[in-house]
Amino acid sequence: MNDTARMRPARTGTRRRRKGACAVLGMLVVSSWGGLFQARPGAQARDPRQIVEEAQKRTDAASQRYEGLLQVFDARGRIADKRWTFERLGSYGRSKAVLRFTSPAEVKGVALLIVNHPDRASDQWMWTPAVERDRRIALQDRSTRFFGTDFSFEDLEARDVGQYDYRMLGDDEVGAAACWKIESTPRESKSSQYTRSIVWIRKDTYAVARVESYVGGEAVRRLDYSDFVQAQGIWTARRLEMADLRRGSRTRLTLDQLEYNAPMSDDAFTLQAIRRPVR
Amino acid sequence: MILLRLISWPYFRRHVLRSILTIAGIVLGVAVFVGMHTANQSVLYAFSRTVDRIAGKTELQVTAGETGFAEEVLERVQSASTVRVAVPVVEAVADTRQRGIGSLLVLGVDMTGDRSLRDYDLESGDEAIVDDPLTFIAQPDSIIVSRALADRLDLGAGSGLPLLTAEGEKRFTIRGVMKASGLASAFGGNLAIMDVYAAQKMFGRGRTFDRIDLALKSGRTIAEAQAELGALLGPGFQIDPPAGRGQQFEAILAAYSMMVDISSLFALFIGMFIIYNSFSIAVTERRAEIGILRALGATRRQIRWLFLGESAVTGLAGSLLGLGFGLLVARLIAASIGVLISDVYGVARQADEIATNPALLAAALAIGLATSVAAALIPARSAARVDPVQALQKGRHQVLSAGESRARIGVAAACGALSLACLAAPRMAPAWVGGSRAIFYLGYLLAILVALLLSPLLSLMLARALRPLLKRLRPVEGALAADSLIQAPRRTSASVAALMLSLALVVAFGGMARASYDSIIDWLETALNPDLFVMPSQNIVVRTIRFPPGMGPEIAAIDGVERVQMVRDARIVFRQTPVMVVAVEIDSLEQTARRDPVEGDAASMYRLTAAGEGLMVSDNLAQLQGLKIGELLEIPAPYGVIRLPIVGIVVDYSDQQGTILMDRQVFRKYWQDDSVNVFRVYVRRGASAAGVRQRIVERFAGERQVFVMTNAELKAYILRVTDQWFGLTSVQIAVAVLVAILGIVNTLTVSIIDRRRELGVLKAVGALRGQIRRTIWIEALSIGGIGLALGFALGAVNLHYLLQMIRYDIAGMRLDYTFPVNVALGLVPAILAAALVAAIWPAESAVRRSLVEALEYE
């Protein structure tokens, strides 16, 4: 457990348990599964929506910042590394985020601005400093791979719990942790590339442990969360590994310098802001 | 079949060379037909295939002619309910400056979404690099090339590739190599892919795209999408399947295709006359054989069918050989057409392989066969009429060419009158026959028919006219040669007709070329009068690289520059035809142009156009589309429909399909595009153009790719391109010479066979071998001379029709009629020399013929 985790005790609970945190890259993928949990902590909640809402509630923060190391393993096991800094203002459907690459040199300064909306898909723009151009990532392109990783652009979005329907599939285990296995289906089928997803939420911390996404009947991506730490009271996985089940490749994201609720200005989340040169 | 095997086959075996000559006629016709059409189709096919391969899964393409459009259009297209994916594309042709490589087609795409439409099929080693669009798009020097190109340049992933861009020579980094198939094989493998936004920057496009490629949502039809996008974008955009680009390219090439058709038609006609002549030889030579067959009970019908069967076999063999030969020459012709298209139309499309169209080959085979049989009809009829008694009498020969029939002259007179009527009243034709153009072409065909029908009579008249001259030159040989021609006009007339047709084509092409030159030079002198032209490419018709307008004042500030005019030209679709829009500062142009309008008042024409209250159109556009002064034109553009009247019609040869001239402000308003293709620079009086040129080059060195051409260089360039366009004329001259040789060899062979008794008698009474030789030579020269005279006469008529076709159907150019005296003078020695060459073998044959055999009867 790191220093940040030691700073704050567990929020609630009659028995000691770790609080769930489903913030991934701050908002990558699993943030879609966060939610407000009305039931008391530790309760044997069986309503899947309530479980997801609680998971989201526990990762709620005014802002988030971290430095990420992205490692892409291709089918032959070769690794390509990239580093970025990530800043997010707000949470879920009412958040904005800027992701800025810092290495290697050829991608340094490339930035992505994501503006999430509570009721629809996000808007995304990318800035490429060498060309001095910003470009909008069209909605049609959200299913494509995110810069050669196994994440898609859609996986970067943060969506509110209300955009999905949930169904409890039962109990399961991921690693040694007991989890709820919940199926989520987007309410507007055309708003997502995935027809459905299955999410495993740990019963002890309400942290998302795994997400498996389907297109039709085929599982196309699997995201595993590990190396959980409690940062400023929020359980956060420091390692995320996305596997593209069709390509046989995987991408690992390792979070570092994780920080929640740091002061951030709204002005830093605009097209003008991402055009500013990186120091 | 039995007769063919027993009678025809031994004859062919005995006369291999003669048989080859017979077949050569049809080989020539079919080869020219197949070669030219295949070459033309190969270039078109290469273009279509390039379009197809580049299009990938694209179902529709949104374009605004060549002008491109603002980026915002992309979001509008992406928002359409019928569209699944829409991606922007910028296309540019960039010079590699590598010997033997030439230009690359650079395709600027947005890698984020583009792979939904196109499969880049990368070599596995490059997957990691290019699969990461981040690296690819983060670095504007990123480029993917085809395996074929990488091999030609001996480069691989990570290597540098210099390319000429709007910003000067830039070194690109190859970040991926595509496998040599599919997309990578487009444009003959000379293809490179880069990020669309980097391409915008590198090729001076500002924030515009050339086109949007899109695929539809499942269950939605092309028609639905076209309707939705048409309503969404307005009439200034074309929304067509990728094949539509091929059709536009075909429309651009229409003029060239038409010339190819005319040449092919003439070649077939010429082939027909050669075959006719060859069968006349056979009938003459085998008269005794026919007599025996008839004496043994063969019917006339059987004899006729025997010769028709032989012609069919000959036609088949000749056609098959012609197909093979045509496909061989097609490759050469296609290469030259590719260069021509690149230079004339600015569309660099090389036919990397020959497109063999089975339908074309089948048609050529059928045409060759039909032509051969048709050409043999008269000789077969003559053979059937052979009198067995006369044929079996040694020493007597049947004069087949017994004189012109009155019926033929009658038909010729009727056709001539009708042809003149067609010429006099071209607009009287009813619409159901195609209007005035149908009447025009009918008149043309009738004129050719009259010439063919009258060629025996005219040959006879000319031979008679020649006789005193020949006799004066060579009393014995000259008179004998002239008599030979006079006695058998039909024998001579086939060669003469073939020669006449061939020369008529050469004369007409030559005349058209001369008139075009004169007209183009006149235009160059009056319209293209700046001292210097500043362009982003060495090729003046390449419009894919452009300058920003800010360069204008920078050039104007250079010492020695008096005036700079900014020109933006681009092809757009106007009334379903690709035409050129030329946007220029008209008020400045008025100060420098020295050209008078063909129609309209010069002062008001410039004033109204400069004020954005009118448009000027080129004379060729007015001719081709029937436009009149004052007519309101509606030109759909990306930002509205231009509705302005025609205030002037001027001579302008910027484009074969026609030009619309407008002020730059109008173009900027309706296309939202202020880029520049060419700066026209006038040098201050007393300043040196060479010095100003040097200063312009130095001013933009390392900053922009700038080519500065002097007025003389530009004119030379345009005339060189014009030369290429008329390069077809030289092919025709070669065919004419070949026809002359083939036809005259055949004619003289017939003549010698017909006159073997006469020649034998001559030898018996003491004629020297030299005299016999000279007789044959003079006969050959006479045939050449008669062919020249008739060819020039028909050529003069042909030129008139060709100029009319150019004016109304091909290029809209109003060309003055001038008989090409220099071409004619060049043809005289060429044809006479060919005739003399053709006479060598027959003359020697006549000299060596057995005297005993010739005089056996006596």
Side-chain angles (χ1 to χ4, degrees):
Chain A
M1 194 171 289
N2 65 9
D3 295 340
T4 339
R6 280 193 292 270
M7 284 167 65
R8 198 182 286 182
R11 283 178 182 170
T12 53
T14 51
R15 66 181 178 186
R16 183 176 175 81
R17 68 168 186 82
R18 295 193 303 179
K19 292 214 171 180
C22 60
V24 189
L25 316 175
M27 53 193 5
L28 263 178
V29 186
V30 288
S31 51
S32 315
W33 316 109
L36 293 167
F37 181 47
Q38 304 298 325
R40 285 159 55 85
Q44 296 301 307
R46 300 300 297 171
D47 178 7
R49 178 173 296 277
Q50 285 183 331
I51 294 169
V52 176
E53 283 174 348
E54 175 61 13
Q56 181 168 317
K57 181 188 170 192
R58 291 186 181 206
T59 56
D60 200 16
S63 69
Q64 184 193 31
R65 174 183 289 145
Y66 67 80
E67 290 178 11
L69 168 63
L70 199 62
Q71 294 174 295
V72 182
F73 301 81
D74 69 11
R76 296 181 188 179
R78 287 175 301 191
I79 307 173
D81 289 358
K82 285 191 189 72
R83 288 182 181 276
W84 70 40
T85 60
F86 179 88
E87 290 183 342
R88 189 196 73 209
L89 181 65
S91 270
Y92 300 100
R94 288 179 177 77
S95 63
K96 295 174 181 174
V98 171
L99 190 157
R100 201 184 290 273
F101 287 88
T102 54
S103 77
E106 59 262 32
V107 301
K108 187 175 178 181
V110 174
L112 187 75
L113 170 66
I114 303 161
V115 178
N116 291 299
H117 304 288
D119 53 348
R120 58 188 166 93
S122 65
D123 290 316
Q124 299 181 2
W125 291 270
M126 185 171 61
W127 166 252
T128 41
V131 192
E132 296 179 317
R133 281 302 309 271
D134 51 68
R135 65 187 83 198
R136 190 172 175 276
I137 308 295
L139 196 60
Q140 61 178 30
D141 300 332
R142 302 294 167 81
S143 60
T144 61
R145 298 171 66 201
F146 168 63
F147 298 145
T149 68
D150 292 292
F151 294 101
S152 70
F153 281 92
E154 185 187 335
D155 297 333
L156 303 178
E157 292 181 356
R159 294 192 182 186
D160 277 341
V161 179
Q163 292 188 34
Y164 297 85
D165 288 324
Y166 301 95
R167 184 161 70 94
M168 177 62 75
L169 297 180
D171 297 332
D172 200 358
E173 282 189 357
V174 175
C179 296
W180 288 294
K181 189 177 173 185
I182 297 168
E183 180 189 71
S184 84
T185 310
R187 284 187 167 168
E188 288 180 46
S189 62
K190 289 176 184 174
S191 69
S192 173
Q193 65 182 302
Y194 305 122
T195 41
R196 66 188 176 103
S197 296
I198 296 173
V199 57
W200 283 258
I201 297 177
R202 288 173 64 143
K203 290 183 177 177
D204 55 352
T205 60
Y206 284 81
V208 175
R210 175 179 290 168
V211 180
E212 202 164 75
S213 301
Y214 289 76
V215 173
E218 184 191 8
V220 292
R221 284 194 174 92
R222 181 187 298 132
L223 181 61
D224 283 305
Y225 299 77
S226 59
D227 192 13
F228 284 93
V229 294
Q230 204 174 36
Q232 294 165 253
I234 298 174
W235 281 104
T236 309
R238 286 189 63 244
R239 178 180 286 185
L240 295 86
E241 199 157 292
M242 176 69 97
D244 186 322
L245 303 177
R246 286 184 288 204
R247 289 168 55 91
S249 56
R250 60 197 169 89
T251 298
R252 181 186 297 157
L253 175 67
T254 309
L255 276 55
D256 201 7
Q257 306 293 319
L258 184 64
E259 188 182 356
Y260 285 105
N261 299 316
M264 289 181 193
S265 162
D266 203 43
D267 294 344
F269 298 89
T270 60
L271 269 174
Q272 289 75 19
I274 63 168
R275 289 174 188 150
R276 282 181 210 129
V278 185
R279 282 167 296 174
Chain B
M1 205 59 198
I2 295 168
L3 282 179
L4 275 176
R5 185 162 54 83
L6 295 178
I7 309 294
S8 306
W9 178 238
Y11 176 79
F12 278 119
R13 287 181 64 183
R14 276 201 312 275
H15 303 90
V16 175
L17 188 63
R18 189 89 42 78
S19 304
I20 290 171
L21 281 175
T22 311
I23 290 171
I26 208 70
V27 171
L28 180 76
V30 172
V32 171
F33 180 84
V34 170
M36 288 198 144
H37 277 90
T38 302
N40 205 29
Q41 285 190 353
S42 298
V43 174
L44 288 171
Y45 177 67
F47 179 82
S48 299
R49 200 173 37 181
T50 293
V51 168
D52 282 349
R53 287 175 176 171
I54 289 174
K57 296 170 197 156
T58 301
E59 291 171 272
L60 280 175
Q61 293 181 325
V62 177
T63 54
E66 278 181 359
T67 60
F69 42 78
E71 287 178 4
E72 62 178 28
V73 175
L74 177 63
E75 285 190 33
R76 282 151 67 192
V77 172
Q78 285 173 338
S79 70
S81 65
T82 49
V83 173
R84 176 173 64 82
V85 57
V87 295
V89 178
V90 164
E91 262 187 22
V93 177
D95 195 344
T96 55
R97 280 196 167 172
Q98 305 275 331
R99 190 177 291 275
I101 298 296
S103 299
L104 289 190
L105 176 66
V106 179
L107 203 62
V109 299
D110 186 350
M111 275 290 186
T112 316
D114 203 79
R115 301 185 89 174
S116 309
L117 288 184
R118 276 172 273 269
D119 183 6
Y120 293 96
D121 204 10
L122 295 159
E123 295 186 346
S124 56
D126 307 322
E127 279 278 315
I129 302 164
V130 181
D131 256 15
D132 180 357
L134 183 59
T135 307
F136 190 80
I137 62 180
Q139 295 300 313
D141 69 338
S142 301
I143 201 162
I144 303 172
V145 298
S146 67
R147 167 48 60 201
L149 182 67
D151 286 346
R152 281 202 286 274
L153 292 168
D154 196 21
L155 298 173
S159 306
L161 173 65
L163 285 180
L164 288 182
T165 72
E167 298 182 335
E169 185 174 308
K170 294 277 180 189
R171 190 177 172 80
F172 288 82
T173 304
I174 298 175
R175 296 198 198 276
V177 178
M178 290 180 284
K179 287 175 190 165
S181 61
L183 177 65
S185 59
F187 206 64
N190 270 20
L191 182 82
I193 309 286
M194 63 185 296
D195 177 49
V196 68
Y197 298 100
Q200 282 179 335
K201 189 168 184 241
M202 294 294 178
F203 299 104
R205 300 303 175 81
R207 300 190 74 141
T208 64
F209 297 132
D210 285 350
R211 66 167 197 270
I212 294 169
D213 287 0
L214 59 96
L216 309 183
K217 285 181 181 161
S218 60
R220 308 307 291 265
T221 64
I222 298 235
E224 280 175 346
Q226 282 176 312
E228 185 189 17
L229 290 168
L232 202 64
L233 302 175
F237 293 85
Q238 292 86 51
I239 303 139
D240 297 308
R245 290 184 79 203
Q247 283 159 11
Q248 278 188 27
F249 182 67
E250 217 168 322
I252 291 170
L253 281 187
Y256 193 84
S257 299
M258 196 152 180
M259 304 302 267
V260 167
D261 286 343
I262 294 169
S263 301
S264 306
L265 201 65
F266 267 81
L268 278 170
F269 256 118
I270 291 161
M272 192 162 91
F273 280 92
I274 290 175
I275 288 186
Y276 166 78
N277 214 9
S278 303
F279 271 88
S280 293
I281 294 175
V283 172
T284 307
E285 204 172 52
R286 293 158 65 189
R287 203 166 43 243
E289 193 177 273
I290 297 165
I292 293 168
L293 280 172
R294 293 277 290 119
L296 288 173
T299 63
R300 288 180 191 275
R301 185 187 170 89
Q302 280 177 315
I303 299 296
R304 189 161 56 237
W305 279 107
L306 173 68
F307 277 87
L308 288 178
E310 277 183 22
S311 74
V313 172
T314 307
L316 186 67
S319 299
L320 288 172
L321 277 171
L323 292 184
F325 192 59
L327 291 176
L328 279 178
V329 295
R331 196 171 289 277
L332 298 174
I333 300 173
S336 73
I337 294 178
V339 172
L340 172 79
I341 288 165
S342 172
D343 286 351
V344 178
Y345 303 107
V347 189
R349 296 288 183 269
Q350 290 286 351
D352 44 332
E353 59 187 74
I354 291 303
T356 45
N357 178 358
L360 174 76
L361 298 183
L365 197 69
I367 289 170
L369 209 60
T371 306
S372 181
V373 172
L377 278 175
I378 294 174
R381 196 185 60 180
S382 302
R385 285 179 181 174
V386 163
D387 178 0
V389 178
Q390 279 190 344
L392 291 171
Q393 284 179 342
K394 281 275 183 181
R396 294 201 58 174
H397 70 272
Q398 190 178 29
V399 180
L400 293 174
S401 47
E404 290 302 321
S405 72
R406 286 184 182 175
R408 180 183 295 188
I409 296 171
V411 172
C415 289
L418 204 54
S419 177
L420 284 173
C422 291
L423 204 60
R427 296 186 186 283
M428 287 170 61
W432 62 269
V433 293
S436 62
R437 302 315 298 157
I439 286 292
F440 167 80
Y441 283 104
L442 177 67
Y444 184 25
L445 276 178
L446 288 171
I448 302 286
L449 191 61
V450 169
L452 293 174
L453 286 168
L454 290 182
S455 64
L457 177 66
L458 294 171
S459 300
L460 181 65
M461 287 167 66
L462 285 172
R464 280 182 180 149
L466 269 176
R467 194 176 188 279
L469 179 69
L470 298 176
K471 196 176 176 185
R472 179 171 295 178
L473 289 172
R474 282 278 171 189
V476 178
E477 298 96 320
L480 282 172
D483 288 344
S484 166
L485 298 176
I486 292 165
Q487 281 166 13
R490 197 199 286 164
R491 184 180 68 208
T492 314
S493 65
S495 286
V496 168
L499 198 52
M500 173 184 74
L501 278 174
S502 188
L503 292 173
L505 186 64
V506 177
V507 166
F509 269 89
M512 183 190 68
R514 184 69 266 152
S516 302
Y517 271 112
D518 291 345
S519 204
I520 288 170
I521 287 170
D522 186 48
W523 171 64
L524 291 175
E525 294 296 336
T526 53
L528 290 189
N529 57 7
D531 300 298
L532 299 170
F533 296 85
V534 180
M535 298 172 298
S537 170
Q538 280 174 304
N539 188 336
I540 62 170
V541 286
V542 165
R543 290 179 292 275
T544 54
I545 306 176
R546 301 199 288 270
F547 293 129
M551 269 179 75
E554 291 177 33
I555 295 172
I558 290 170
D559 183 35
V561 173
E562 184 187 342
R563 182 192 294 269
V564 176
Q565 291 169 349
M566 295 190 270
V567 181
R568 172 78 170 97
D569 56 352
R571 215 170 257 133
I572 63 161
V573 177
F574 171 68
R575 297 185 181 175
Q576 282 80 51
T577 308
V579 302
M580 189 72 79
V581 161
V582 177
V584 64
E585 296 138 307
I586 298 289
D587 53 351
S588 175
L589 192 73
E590 186 186 7
Q591 308 297 315
T592 57
R594 295 195 295 268
R595 56 180 163 179
D596 293 323
V598 178
E599 281 184 54
D601 170 60
S604 63
M605 172 180 86
Y606 284 116
R607 180 173 48 77
L608 291 169
T609 310
E613 293 170 9
L615 299 166
M616 290 149 67
V617 298
S618 65
D619 187 34
N620 62 337
L621 182 68
Q623 293 288 337
L624 289 172
Q625 305 227 5
L627 304 177
K628 303 280 180 231
I629 197 100
E631 186 175 336
L632 188 72
L633 289 191
E634 288 199 355
I635 304 169
Y639 289 88
V641 179
I642 301 172
R643 289 188 180 84
L644 288 173
I646 299 174
V647 293
I649 297 175
V650 294
V651 171
D652 188 290
Y653 297 136
S654 301
D655 192 75
Q656 280 185 350
Q657 301 288 318
T659 311
I660 298 170
L661 290 104
M662 63 178 66
D663 195 80
R664 262 181 74 78
Q665 57 163 324
V666 176
F667 189 84
R668 273 201 304 266
K669 179 180 172 187
Y670 286 95
W671 274 270
Q672 301 280 304
D673 178 358
D674 60 359
S675 61
V676 178
N677 292 100
V678 182
F679 291 103
R680 293 158 54 107
V681 178
Y682 290 86
V683 170
R684 189 167 292 130
R685 191 183 294 272
S688 147
V692 173
R693 173 195 198 158
Q694 185 61 30
R695 284 193 283 279
I696 292 173
V697 171
E698 284 170 2
R699 165 64 189 81
F700 296 102
E703 191 180 323
R704 297 214 155 265
Q705 178 185 319
V706 167
F707 292 94
V708 186
M709 281 179 114
T710 62
N711 190 287
E713 285 170 347
L714 185 82
K715 283 174 183 169
Y717 182 101
I718 291 172
L719 291 178
R720 184 175 61 78
V721 170
T722 310
D723 272 342
Q724 284 177 8
W725 213 84
F726 292 114
L728 208 60
T729 315
S730 53
V731 176
Q732 294 300 338
I733 290 173
V735 170
V737 170
L738 202 60
V739 164
I741 293 174
L742 273 176
I744 293 169
V745 166
N746 282 349
T747 303
L748 293 178
T749 309
V750 176
S751 172
I752 291 160
I753 294 162
D754 267 355
R755 293 157 60 207
R756 61 186 168 200
R757 180 168 157 263
E758 179 188 320
L759 293 170
V761 170
L762 277 174
K763 276 196 259 183
V765 298
L768 301 173
R769 287 187 163 203
Q771 286 179 311
I772 304 286
R773 272 196 198 97
R774 278 193 291 277
T775 302
I776 307 295
W777 291 351
I778 291 171
E779 192 176 339
L781 288 171
S782 302
I783 293 170
I786 293 169
L788 280 167
L790 294 184
F792 291 162
L794 182 60
V797 175
N798 202 19
L799 176 59
H800 166 79
Y801 282 99
L802 198 56
L803 293 184
Q804 295 291 307
M805 284 159 66
I806 294 283
R807 179 170 174 181
Y808 293 108
D809 300 318
I810 299 178
M813 288 170 82
R814 221 186 284 238
L815 300 175
D816 294 331
Y817 185 100
T818 311
F819 188 82
V821 178
N822 53 341
V823 173
L825 289 176
L827 281 171
V828 172
I831 296 300
L832 292 182
L836 211 51
V837 169
I840 293 171
W841 177 76
E844 292 309 308
S845 167
V847 165
R848 288 176 191 161
R849 202 166 274 275
S850 162
L851 186 65
V852 177
E853 189 189 328
L855 297 178
E856 198 176 356
Y857 177 77
E858 306 296 336

